[in-house]
Amino acid sequence: MLPTNLPVEKADSRLMRSMFHTIAPRYDFITRVFSYGMDRRWKRALVERARLPAAPVILDLASGTGISL
């Protein structure tokens, strides 16, 4: 049985998508501002430390908006 007190955006997937599309363009900007631009360096450093093989297949489940470096 589903809970009856779900937030509106969870009850209607169209509202959830709309909310994400509103937030997404600002998300990367805010991350960049709050980190003083260090977020790009952190991401690159993490990839270098991972010592990945040539042509790896990677799934990033916590990628924010998914915008690449």
Side-chain angles (χ1 to χ4, degrees), residues 13-68:
S13 62
R14 288 176 294 158
L15 287 174
M16 179 65 79
R17 281 193 297 276
S18 174
M19 185 174 68
F20 179 78
H21 288 295
T22 301
I23 294 168
R26 297 182 194 117
Y27 181 89
D28 293 305
F29 173 75
I30 295 298
T31 301
R32 184 96 356 104
V33 169
F34 284 168
S35 72
Y36 297 101
M38 293 291 296
D39 61 306
R40 286 184 176 174
R41 286 181 232 152
W42 295 332
K43 291 173 189 175
R44 286 190 187 113
L46 186 63
V47 169
E48 288 173 13
R49 287 182 183 178
R51 298 181 184 176
L52 301 169
V57 176
I58 301 168
L59 175 61
D60 183 353
L61 297 177
S63 66
T65 61
I67 294 177
S68 66

